[in-house]
Each structure stands twice: as structure tokens, then as C-alpha cells.
Amino acid sequence: MRRTLLGAGLALLLATTGCAGTDDTPPAPAGDRVPAASRQDADEVGRTLASLRRVDKLPLYEMTYVGRYDATVGTDAEPEASPFGCSLFAASGDPARPLFARNFDWAANPAMVLRTDPPDGYASVSLVDLSYLGIGADPTGDRRLLDAPLLPFDGMNERGLAVGLAADDHAKVTPVPGRPTVGSVRILRLVLDSAATVDEAVAVFGRYNLDFDGGPPLHYLLADATGRSAVVEFVDGAMRVQRGEGRWQALTNVPVVGVSEKERRADRRYGAIAAALESAGARVDAPAALRILDQVRQGHTRWSVTYGLRSGEVHLVTATGKERRYRLPMD
């Protein structure tokens, strides 16, 4: 069943935790090329914009999108520079509590927790960098918010499928004739709306050509409620998939496909995550995962987040050090 977020709600729990950071990378250029994705009527537009509220000095906002959108039109607005330094991992040492975690390392831009429940897709919670919509520190009433579903940088849907991205300077895409092209961030929305498992998510990637023009090339980590995970990369122009073979899988900014584990661990952040997960037997709850993320945070880490792939629990810590908790009703 694809549940309605507005009816069931996301149970919002508030807490605080210590996690401070600095932001020393320049802001990304405004995303003024994002297409109009809204397929809402006037009432749905009004309810969507009225749901916006500021909840953190990051600034961090929350918004619930009401109604339909078209996630296949146009391409993403992407920055010209590449300060992405993200760290991600999936852990399933406790089969009853598989977990997905990530640091988003980027410029000091406003962010938003977005709740969506499309009539023809899965409900999800995702995080959006508002600068990609061309929006500054005060988005109140800005109709560009109606395009926010198109640009999730990480998220989880009601079936327990999570996805996140990181820069991969080696990635290169050679378009496959006959396939439609979508932006390299937009693909996350298509995955969240339609995939319940890692296999289904990989199939979504395989149906599109990705557009890396104007922004950093990317690779992706996927995980689902069964504990399966996979990395999707683009090697010599072609999509390649590295399935998780143990109880954890990590991703930073070094390639995974065709690279030995020894070479991967030469990256400081990847090595620290690997050591921590091995020490814990990959049995980590949200607080433990956040501690691992704290070990590899950088001066420009904007948020750290964990997604409980069976529980629906989301723990979010921003650069201000404040924690917010959400629960996505799971199908």
C-alpha cells in the first residue's frame, strides 16, 4: 500500500545532540534552470507552500508536497565546482535493523526536509539543497519550491529503499541511443518514487541516460529493507554495479568498481568507516552510525542523516549541531 503522508503524518520528535561544524566552501551558483514540475491545482499549491516552516538556524526547513509532479521533464541545475565530499554507508549486521547513513558535504546553503506522497509512487522523506532551486535563505512563498521533489540528495521511501550520491571525478556517461536523459540528481527522485528494492532501483538507473554536464560526475549508494546494497558507477562511459557482498558497504569519493578494498581504504574517510563498521560487526543503530559519521565529518559537512530501512526512523543532525527525528510510515 502506498500510504498518504498527509493522513498518516510523519511523527516528528525533537531532540538535541552535539555536532558542530564549519562551512568553508563557497556557495553554489543558483539553480535557475530547474523546470516547472508541478502538476498541482491551485489548492494543492497553496497547501504545499503553507506547509513550509523553518526549524533550524542552518537554515533548515520542512515542507510537505501536496499533489502531483512530473519528475521526467528537463534536466537538473548543477554547480560548476566540485566540493562534494560525501561519506555514505549501509549496514545490515543486525538483520532486523538495516540502516543507511550519510554525510552531505557541500557549501553553506539552506536545506529542506521534504515529504512527498505522489498518487502514482511511494511516499518518501528526502533532503534538498535549496540553492539548486535558485532559492536563498528565505524561501517563504517562493513558487520555485514546487520543483523541490526533483532534487533529493538523499532519501528513503516507505518500502525501505534508500539512496544517496557522492562525487566521483572518474565517472563518465556515454549515452545509450533510445534512452531518455535525466539529471544526475533527478534520478534519485525516480528511484524513490518507483523502486522498492535494490534490484528495482538498479533497473531504474538502467532505463535512463544521466546528464553530468555542468556539475560534478557522481556515483550512488543504494540499500533496502532486506539488507541488500549496491553501488552504481559509470566506468568508461557504461553503468556498472558493485553489489554489497558482506554486512556493510561504504562509499566516499573514490571509485569502487574494479578497485581493490586495499585501494579503497587508502581514502581516509572510507578507511575510517570500514574500520568502525568492522569493529562493530556492522551492528549499528542510529546513534552509533552518527558517531561514525562524526569521525569523518569535514568543515563543510552540512548534514548527517541516518535512515532506518525497516523502522522508518530518520535521524538528522545539521551543521548547527541540532538533531531532528522523523518517522516515515512504512508499507
Side-chain angles (χ1 to χ4, degrees):
M1 180 181 67
R2 297 178 178 182
R3 303 182 181 182
T4 300
L5 289 181
L6 299 177
L10 287 174
L12 176 62
L13 307 173
L14 303 180
T16 59
T17 187
C19 181
T22 59
D23 304 294
D24 48 17
T25 42
D32 57 1
R33 297 169 298 181
V34 180
S38 171
R39 299 296 181 265
Q40 302 160 291
D41 61 31
D43 176 68
E44 291 169 334
V45 167
R47 290 161 62 194
T48 296
L49 295 179
S51 73
L52 181 75
R53 63 179 183 134
R54 179 170 169 166
V55 295
D56 188 314
K57 293 181 180 180
L58 186 70
L60 175 72
Y61 295 86
E62 296 172 356
M63 190 178 81
T64 298
Y65 190 98
V66 184
R68 295 179 180 273
Y69 50 82
D70 184 350
T72 64
V73 294
T75 57
D76 299 344
E78 299 191 32
E80 296 178 358
S82 179
F84 281 93
C86 304
S87 304
L88 307 88
F89 65 86
S92 58
D94 182 348
R97 295 191 301 176
L99 181 140
F100 184 97
R102 76 101 100 248
N103 281 345
F104 180 66
D105 302 341
W106 186 231
N109 302 320
M112 185 168 70
V113 177
L114 180 67
R115 293 162 272 210
T116 58
D117 188 10
D120 53 353
Y122 297 123
S124 67
V125 176
S126 60
L127 281 152
V128 178
D129 181 328
L130 290 179
S131 71
Y132 279 62
L133 297 168
I135 296 174
D138 184 7
T140 306
D142 195 320
R143 291 179 66 87
R144 288 174 293 185
L145 289 168
L146 303 179
D147 285 336
L150 303 184
L151 296 172
F153 287 78
D154 53 71
M156 175 181 68
N157 68 23
E158 64 178 315
R159 297 299 299 275
L161 187 283
V163 59
L165 55 78
D168 174 10
D169 290 339
H170 299 85
K172 181 181 179 181
V173 173
T174 300
V176 176
R179 289 184 185 174
T181 297
V182 298
S184 56
V185 178
R186 180 82 54 85
I187 190 68
L188 272 68
R189 171 52 56 199
L190 298 173
V191 165
L192 290 171
D193 284 358
S194 63
T197 66
V198 164
D199 287 345
E200 291 179 5
V202 169
V204 172
F205 272 92
R207 289 197 289 270
Y208 294 92
N209 293 315
L210 298 193
D211 179 13
F212 288 152
D213 289 346
L218 303 172
H219 54 180
Y220 307 84
L221 180 64
L222 307 164
D224 65 28
T226 70
R228 293 185 177 91
S229 65
V231 168
V232 175
E233 292 186 338
F234 295 85
V235 182
D236 297 328
M239 187 180 95
R240 299 281 299 278
V241 178
Q242 179 72 50
R243 305 275 178 172
E245 298 176 349
R247 294 181 293 180
W248 61 270
Q249 192 168 22
L251 186 69
T252 55
N253 304 103
V254 296
V256 169
V257 174
V259 177
S260 70
E261 184 67 9
K262 181 179 180 180
E263 291 176 282
R264 297 173 198 167
R265 294 192 188 211
D267 177 75
R268 181 191 67 83
R269 284 178 287 119
Y270 185 101
I273 292 170
L277 290 174
E278 287 184 343
S279 176
R283 297 175 66 91
V284 291
D285 57 11
L290 287 170
R291 288 193 293 271
I292 294 172
L293 291 176
D294 196 42
Q295 293 179 36
V296 296
R297 67 175 293 110
Q298 302 184 88
H300 55 289
T301 298
R302 297 306 289 160
W303 67 73
S304 303
V305 62
T306 69
Y307 296 100
L309 304 181
R310 290 194 179 180
S311 68
E313 294 180 351
V314 182
H315 292 243
L316 171 66
V317 178
T318 69
T320 66
K322 299 296 182 180
E323 180 178 343
R324 299 188 70 80
R325 301 182 187 179
Y326 307 85
R327 185 183 295 275
L328 174 65
M330 305 301 276
D331 184 3

